[in-house]
Each structure stands twice: as structure tokens, then as C-alpha cells.
Amino acid sequence: MAGREDGNRQQETPAGASPAWERELLEHLRPAGRDVRRVVDWLSGAVRAAVALQDAAGNLVAGTRLPLDEDLVADITSGRIASAAWQSRERHLRLVRVEHPSRACVLAVSREAPFDRQASDVVTHTAQVVELLLTARESTAAGHRLRRATSDLRLAILQLLMVEDTMAARRVAAGLWPGLLDADTACVYVVESAPAVRDRIAEECLDRTREDALVVRCPAMDGHVIVVGPRDTTGEALRSLVARHSGLFLGGSVRQSLARTATAYGQAVSALAVAHFRPDKTAVYAERTHPERLMDPAALRGWTARLLRPLDTLAHHTRAELLATNRLGLEFTAVNAAKVLGVSRNTVRARMERVEALLGTDFADLTVRAVVHLALNTQVGLPDAHFAGDTGRPGPRLPDLLSGSAVRTWAEDLLGRLDADARNPRRTLRTWIAAGGNAERAAQDLGVHAQTVREHVRSAEPVLERQLLAGGTDLYEVVLAHLAVGDLGLPRFHCDD
């Protein structure tokens, strides 16, 4: 073109100043404005044209679809030509190649008026901005995918630890975090925050532990971050983090073997409940007197082996899978156990039903759950090799384990704490346990309202220093205390026949 019509003359720009359109375009590179669609829409208004950004396959990335010559688009996206112009009486078209990390795109601009110098400059510079934004978006997406994959890998390692497959967990961890699980023992911590800030807190946990700990976003609780810390410095780093944020709480386990990660996790959750009432918002699981520690160790191991003997006929992998799943399934709800293990809740229930069938019992009975929970946690400390066959002498029975003077004294002292309450929460608690933890059924048996049952059970929690409504280890210890003093009938198992 040799010249322009008056209507197409550019506005004069003072020396040293950028045209207004350049400043507007640069605004789209600010962090708050980095959106390819907004840039394409801006270009459409700036040059009064229809604009399309599409890839080589013809997919529309932004703007409005335009009728384009496929061969011409292919020449541009393949790199044979960098740009092209076409015009007819009705419209004028410009096509510019836009580089993209994974695929080239073409920016097509169609307008009724011819392209003057300013319009051409706007299109060219906009193509450069779009190229930068696409590259940044691709880098951001790649970084997000990498962080997601790393997060998924950490969860997979935790799930392997939860089912006691420490060898596989170490192999998986060795590729990205060499030496992370070299230690034989670790403490488990649970950091609780508001769900909205959990991702940020998880990143801070990684920073403060310097990736010397396994940091996992809990798949079951939206506000929890699980930290498996083999190093002694992990606890102090997390306490420092909690001190800096008003809305954080920290619960920690005692040091356990890696094979007992599930047990340590349960301890950390229990301690987390206590942390809500502590000024420093942190708590470590208290090593109180547990009933199993008051039993004869040899008798307890022998009884455990006899109770779980029906599982000995299974393949080693299947047996380990069932034991680990049931240990978590008895500690938490089936839904939460499934999320922690990375399986469906139906899978958890099916595995628990299989153990029920093998043991010939019913997990709906809280006394059964408490006794099997005792056996499963004792089994963790047993060697992998199964016990030898019968010796001809009758093995220890459940009544033998619970009738020892130490166990009985512990049970009487524990439940005796409730006797001072005139409302008789001890009777309510006993009835509630016998009803399988169902407040409505217990209320019918007692002739009171279901809410009264719940209030009595809840009021017993601080007196007994144990969580009852949440289930798990605390509740099972209270159930064993009832069995030891004879307030509840003993469940029957094949090994007691």
C-alpha cells in the first residue's frame, strides 16, 4: 500500500511514550491478568475484528471460530511460513504463527477494513503476548502435574506402610527421596488446619521438615496433613509451624516400627483430640496403661495365634492384606479406612466380612470388635512364621487373659471413675456398648431419650480420658474393662471351645 485514507491515520504519540494499546496489552502480562481468552477478546476490540486462536488440529483455543483455509493453516502451524495475509471485497484476514511448547497455534484476525500499520503492529505484538502466556500456562500445568504426581506417590508410600509392606514402601521412596525410610522406626504426626488452607500448610510442612519426612494430604479428612517422621527433628519442626499459625493443631504418636504405621496413625489422631484443649495446641499420645500390657505375654501371643489360626491357610500376601485392612477397619470407619488404603469402601467391607466368616463371628458386636482388635494389634509384634501345631495341652483362653488380678484391678479402677456421677453413666455406657454403640436401641432398653444416652456417653469421655463416640482403640479398651469386671458377657470364639 502506498498510502492510507484519512480515517486510518495513526494518532501521534509523544516521543518516549508508548501507545495506549501497548500499555493495555502489557497489563495482560501481570499475574492477575494472565488469561489468553481475555487477550484475544482485547485484540478483537482493539482492532475491531473477529479473532480466533486455534491449534493445528482445528481446535478453538480462544475467540470465535472463523472460516479458514485448512492448507494455509497447516503451512503456518508446520512452520513452512510464519504468517499470511488474504483479502477480498468483504474482509481482510491476517494469520500469524504462535509458538506453543507442545503444539503450534495460529492467530487469525478478520476485519472489514484493511490492516493499517497500527493494526498490524497490534496483531504482531498480541501474538507475542499470547505465545508468552501459552508457554507460561504450559509450564504452570506441567508444574501442577509434577506436584500432583509427587503427592500421589507420597500417598502410595503411606498406603504401603499402612498395610505393613515396608519393603515396597522403601523401594518406591528410594527413587525420589533416597534414605527417607532407611530408619526402622518413626513417629506419625497429624496437623489439623482449615480445609481451605491445607495445601499451603502441607507445603510448609515440606519446607520445615526439609523433605526428611513423608508429608501426605490425608485422603480421609480434608483438613488433615499426615507426617511420617523417621528423624527426631520432625516433631520440633512441626511444633514450630503450629506456633506460627493460630488455626493449627498437632497430634503425635510415640515412636513405632514402620510396620506399625497404622497404629501410630491412630495414636496421632487420638492425641490430636487432646491438642484442642492444650494452650500450645499440640499433644503427644500418652503412654498410659493398656490392658494388653497387664496380660501374660506368652499367654497373649498364644491366644492370638490360636484366634487367628483360620487365616493361616491363606496365601501370605492375602493374609497380610486381610489383617492390615481389618486393623484399620476396626480402628476407623469403613469409608475412612478405604480412603487411607486407596481402595473402595466395598473392598474394605468385603475383606472384613471375609475375616468375620473365617473367625465365625460378627463385627456388629462391640465386644467381638474389641477382642479381635486386641488380637490384631498383638499380631503385629508376632514373627511372620506361624506358630507350631497343637502341643496336646489346651491353649490360653480369653477368660484366662481377662481374669488376671492386674487386668481386673485396672478395669475396676477405670470404670470406678464413673460411680461418683448420680446419673449412673456407667449403666448407660454398659447398655450402649451392649447395643453395639446404637444410642436409639440403648435408649429403648433404658427407657430414656436417645439424646440422653449420647450425653451420658459423651460426659464419660473426659472422666475415662478416652474417646468413645469416635470408636477405635479408646472405646475397645473400655469394652475390655467391662469384660474383665463381668459387666458384659464374653464373646465366644472357636479357640475358646
Side-chain angles (χ1 to χ4, degrees), residues 127-299:
Q128 295 170 350
V129 169
V130 169
E131 185 174 303
L132 289 172
L133 293 180
L134 289 177
T135 301
R137 187 169 72 177
E138 185 76 9
S139 299
T140 301
H144 177 74
R145 288 193 298 269
L146 178 60
R147 288 191 296 272
R148 179 59 185 270
T150 305
S151 177
D152 290 346
L153 188 58
R154 289 193 182 99
L155 175 58
I157 295 169
L158 176 66
Q159 289 167 344
L160 288 170
L161 291 174
M162 287 288 193
V163 296
E164 303 170 29
D165 196 346
T166 57
M167 293 297 293
R170 283 179 171 131
R171 285 197 297 269
V172 174
L176 288 179
W177 304 285
L180 176 64
L181 299 179
D182 283 354
D184 293 326
T185 61
C187 292
V188 174
Y189 302 89
V190 177
V191 181
E192 181 181 303
S193 68
V197 300
R198 183 180 64 167
D199 286 349
R200 177 170 58 83
I201 296 303
E203 291 301 320
E204 288 197 45
C205 287
L206 285 168
D207 290 341
R208 287 191 169 266
T209 60
R210 299 180 180 180
E211 297 203 357
D212 280 340
L214 180 67
V215 178
V216 180
R217 293 164 177 81
C218 179
M221 302 297 292
D222 291 339
H224 287 187
V225 176
I226 302 170
V227 181
V228 181
R231 314 286 188 268
D232 292 333
T233 56
T234 301
E236 187 58 38
L238 295 178
R239 281 188 285 273
S240 173
L241 173 64
V242 170
R244 290 182 61 250
H245 297 275
S246 60
L248 297 190
F249 299 91
L250 174 67
S253 75
V254 297
R255 185 164 288 276
Q256 299 278 6
S257 68
L258 288 181
R260 300 200 67 177
T261 298
T263 299
Y265 171 58
Q267 292 180 349
V269 172
S270 180
L272 184 63
V274 178
H276 281 263
F277 304 100
R278 294 282 183 85
D280 62 355
K281 303 175 297 177
T282 69
V284 175
Y285 185 73
E287 275 288 36
R288 60 191 180 225
T289 301
H290 299 289
E292 63 269 22
R293 296 187 178 182
L294 303 174
M295 301 173 185
D296 179 82

Side-chain angles (χ1 to χ4, degrees), residues 222-483:
D222 291 339
H224 287 187
V225 176
I226 302 170
V227 181
V228 181
R231 314 286 188 268
D232 292 333
T233 56
T234 301
E236 187 58 38
L238 295 178
R239 281 188 285 273
S240 173
L241 173 64
V242 170
R244 290 182 61 250
H245 297 275
S246 60
L248 297 190
F249 299 91
L250 174 67
S253 75
V254 297
R255 185 164 288 276
Q256 299 278 6
S257 68
L258 288 181
R260 300 200 67 177
T261 298
T263 299
Y265 171 58
Q267 292 180 349
V269 172
S270 180
L272 184 63
V274 178
H276 281 263
F277 304 100
R278 294 282 183 85
D280 62 355
K281 303 175 297 177
T282 69
V284 175
Y285 185 73
E287 275 288 36
R288 60 191 180 225
T289 301
H290 299 289
E292 63 269 22
R293 296 187 178 182
L294 303 174
M295 301 173 185
D296 179 82
L300 179 58
R301 290 195 298 268
W303 169 81
T304 295
R306 292 179 65 235
L307 178 66
L308 301 179
R309 185 164 292 156
L311 280 71
D312 291 353
T313 59
L314 304 173
H316 177 78
H317 175 75
T318 302
R319 179 177 182 273
E321 185 177 71
L322 289 179
L323 290 173
T325 300
N326 277 263
R327 193 175 296 114
L328 280 175
L330 291 174
E331 191 71 44
F332 308 103
T333 66
V335 173
N336 285 349
K339 290 178 180 178
V340 171
L341 291 171
V343 298
S344 72
R345 59 184 177 183
N346 289 335
T347 298
V348 171
R349 289 178 178 137
R351 291 175 183 174
M352 295 186 72
E353 289 170 359
R354 187 173 182 184
V355 171
E356 282 181 298
L358 288 167
L359 299 183
T361 191
D362 183 2
F363 285 160
D365 187 332
L366 273 179
T367 62
V368 170
R369 293 174 71 92
V371 171
V372 174
H373 181 267
L374 171 65
L376 291 176
N377 280 283
T378 302
Q379 184 272 338
V380 173
L382 298 178
D384 289 338
H386 301 158
F387 278 71
D390 293 333
T391 61
R393 293 177 297 178
R397 300 165 63 246
L398 180 61
D400 300 327
L401 297 177
L402 297 174
S403 61
S405 59
V407 175
R408 188 172 182 85
T409 299
W410 163 82
E412 290 173 346
D413 288 344
L414 178 65
L415 299 180
R417 302 177 191 175
L418 301 173
D419 293 340
D421 193 327
R423 298 174 302 167
N424 200 358
R426 181 167 175 174
R427 182 187 65 171
T428 304
L429 181 57
R430 178 176 65 247
T431 307
W432 178 74
I433 292 173
N438 187 295
E440 286 74 16
R441 291 203 336 248
Q444 290 178 358
D445 294 338
L446 293 168
V448 298
H449 195 276
Q451 187 59 31
T452 301
V453 173
R454 295 187 187 95
E455 289 174 358
H456 283 199
V457 175
R458 190 175 290 111
S459 68
E461 291 184 326
V463 178
L464 299 177
E465 297 179 336
R466 284 162 173 82
Q467 296 185 89
L468 302 176
L469 293 171
T473 299
D474 285 2
L475 173 59
Y476 297 146
E477 288 188 357
V478 175
V479 173
L480 291 177
H482 281 84
L483 296 177

Side-chain angles (χ1 to χ4, degrees), residues 5-18:
E5 297 183 9
D6 290 343
N8 288 333
R9 288 176 184 166
Q10 299 185 61
Q11 184 177 352
E12 292 295 326
T13 302
S18 300

Side-chain angles (χ1 to χ4, degrees), residues 35-44 50-55 58-66 68 103 105-109 130 133-134 137:
D35 187 332
V36 171
R37 292 183 177 85
R38 287 178 57 188
V39 174
V40 170
D41 290 343
W42 173 86
L43 175 61
S44 176
V51 182
L53 178 66
Q54 72 175 53
D55 60 20
N59 300 310
L60 187 66
V61 178
T64 57
R65 187 169 295 281
L66 296 175
L68 302 176
R103 64 191 187 282
C105 294
V106 60
L107 180 67
V109 183
V130 169
L133 293 180
L134 289 177
R137 187 169 72 177

